Amino acid sequence: MIRGPLAHRAFRTFLLARVISVAGSAMAPIALAFAVIDRHAEPSALALVLAATITPQAILSLIGGVSADRLPRRTILATGNCAAGAAQATVAVLLFTDKASLPWLTALAATSGAASAFTLPAMQGIVPQLVPPEDLQQANALIRLPVNAFKVGGPVLVGILITVASPEWALAWDAATFFISAALFSRLRVARVPKKQARFRQDLAEGWKEVRQRPWLWGFVLHGSVVVMAWMAGFQLLGPIAAAGSYGGGPAWGVVQGAFAAGLVVGSLGALRWQPSRPLLVCIAASFPMALPALAMAGQAPIWLVVAAALVTGVSMDLSIIAWSTFVQRRLPAELLGRVSSYMTFGELIAVPFGYLIAGQLATVIGHQIVLYGASATIVVATLVLMAFPAVRRADRPVAVQTCAPT
């Protein structure tokens, strides 16, 4: 007899859709990065494309959060995956035909980012509709476990694919997986979230009120704004550039990304068994290892040390993500999760485009190694500040809230 989250058919369908989607998404960021590097060698070009992905996601996240609490979440997930699939398919075609100019790549990256602004809050909000409260921790871990497992081999495979073929094949595959996932999301059958009729502005204000009255929540979001910016600039932007300059390019960076994903898998496995008594402190302390990969690459450490740093970071990050998701889902009503998660997304991502652009320009002028040292130091300092925040130290255990009955 199947027990836990997998006993629910809707959760199994949702999990399958996520696994298929990440089978392409695990390859796409590396493929896109090296497609841009091959055509536009300066770090600022890659920074522009990455910033274009994040900017609309941050700007539209609040609208996406309200939509996730107003509209059927399965419809949002299906539509958003279709939009992202169309954008990636267009990128692949442009690369195949050698017409992928920087403006085109930037515009299509923005389209994918806009789709994420709607799908991410819907994804966060729908989980309590799929399983009962007592299964939330395992559900969040199970969602991330196979997803992270695909990320282990994906970067290594795309590194080989870039060497023997071209990045566009990986992007074409990513587009196909988005479309398949959209079809599966459209088949989800979940209970409706009870919802009062209110204006858009009232919905938005209600979500902000929930964030504002919880110091531990807005404190963590402010911390995330700084740490995520430094992490994305150091790892996602300057990592491929450091790999191209010091470690042999795509294959080496694929191994580093694979090690990071392997750490995510270990973290997911750990979260299946371990539920921390102080989840907020665990989430914050887990930010310290995020400084390690940038520090290792800044010092041009041997590749095995960069791989080890990425592995440790993956373990800590996934434990943090699962503990945080479960904490929020248990503390907040289901009908508010979309809006509150959108404020978290907005707070964490709004600084990232600026981080990309500033880091890209600085790396061009003073070199990427100095910028990597700066990113590492920023993560450590921001985490120490939040660790001293009294509201976090006093944080209680999460309590169960009423959720919709799963099907």
Side-chain angles (χ1 to χ4, degrees):
M1 179 180 178
I2 300 176
R3 297 181 181 274
L6 293 175
H8 306 285
R9 181 178 180 181
F11 178 78
R12 296 196 301 269
T13 302
F14 176 86
L15 183 61
L16 178 61
R18 287 289 294 134
V19 169
I20 291 174
S21 178
V22 85
S25 299
M27 301 184 186
I30 302 173
L32 181 60
F34 282 95
V36 175
I37 290 171
D38 287 345
R39 290 161 176 78
H40 310 278
E42 293 187 354
S44 56
L46 180 56
L48 181 62
V49 174
L50 294 178
T53 304
I54 296 296
T55 302
Q57 184 179 343
I59 293 174
L60 297 175
S61 61
L62 299 181
I63 299 175
V66 174
S67 300
D69 288 340
R70 277 177 168 264
L71 304 174
R73 288 164 179 162
R74 68 183 180 93
T75 302
I76 294 174
L77 291 172
T79 304
N81 275 263
C82 281
Q88 289 294 68
T90 305
V91 171
V93 170
L94 291 173
L95 289 171
F96 276 123
T97 57
D98 202 25
K99 296 180 180 178
S101 64
L102 188 59
W104 266 114
L105 292 175
T106 302
L108 291 166
T111 302
S112 296
S116 297
F118 291 86
T119 57
L120 289 179
M123 201 167 297
Q124 174 79 359
I126 204 172
V127 176
Q129 295 176 254
L130 305 175
V131 298
E134 62 270 17
D135 288 336
L136 277 174
Q137 170 89 15
Q138 282 195 325
N140 287 314
L142 285 172
I143 289 168
R144 293 191 61 81
L145 181 58
V147 166
N148 292 336
F150 266 106
K151 291 180 181 179
V152 176
V156 177
L157 180 59
V158 76
I160 297 172
L161 191 60
I162 290 170
T163 302
V164 302
S166 59
E168 43 264 45
W169 287 104
L171 294 169
W173 167 245
D174 187 35
T177 60
F178 272 125
F179 290 127
I180 297 171
S181 296
L184 287 169
F185 281 130
S186 69
R187 297 177 58 188
L188 278 177
R189 296 292 181 266
V190 295
R192 280 188 169 275
V193 175
K195 180 69 178 69
K196 299 181 296 182
Q197 293 300 318
R199 295 180 182 273
F200 177 89
R201 184 178 296 179
Q202 290 175 308
D203 275 344
L204 205 57
E206 190 177 4
W208 171 242
K209 179 182 177 182
E210 294 296 324
V211 175
R212 187 183 58 195
Q213 68 185 9
R214 293 173 169 85
W216 57 264
L217 180 52
W218 57 256
F220 191 84
V221 172
L222 287 176
H223 164 263
S225 182
V226 176
V227 170
V228 172
M229 176 189 67
W231 162 256
M232 298 289 277
F235 195 75
Q236 298 295 342
L237 169 61
L238 298 181
I241 293 169
S246 304
Y247 300 107
W253 188 240
V255 172
V256 173
Q257 288 275 22
F260 173 66
L264 295 175
V265 172
V266 174
S268 297
L269 289 170
L272 284 172
R273 305 281 299 181
W274 179 52
Q275 297 193 33
S277 59
R278 301 296 300 274
L280 288 185
L281 291 178
V282 168
C283 292
I284 297 165
S287 299
F288 284 116
M290 294 173 68
L292 296 178
L295 186 62
M297 290 185 290
Q300 293 184 310
I303 186 63
W304 67 265
L305 193 57
V306 179
V307 169
L311 177 67
V312 172
T313 301
V315 175
S316 65
M317 187 180 293
D318 213 65
L319 286 171
S320 172
I321 290 171
I322 293 170
W324 174 253
S325 296
T326 305
F327 186 89
V328 172
Q329 289 163 357
R330 286 177 173 167
R331 286 290 291 267
L332 298 174
E335 64 270 18
L336 290 169
L337 281 174
R339 280 163 286 172
V340 172
S341 67
S342 71
Y343 275 108
M344 292 189 292
T345 300
F346 177 81
E348 290 182 351
L349 296 185
I350 191 63
V352 172
F354 300 101
Y356 276 148
L357 297 175
I358 293 170
Q361 289 296 329
L362 287 176
T364 301
V365 175
I366 63 177
H368 66 269
Q369 290 172 281
I370 297 176
V371 182
L372 283 168
Y373 277 124
S376 179
T378 299
I379 292 171
V380 172
V381 172
T383 303
L384 287 172
V385 169
L386 188 60
M387 289 284 283
F389 194 37
V392 171
R393 296 201 307 270
R394 295 193 303 264
D396 297 325
R397 287 190 179 191
V399 295
V401 298
Q402 184 177 357
T403 62
C404 298
T407 58

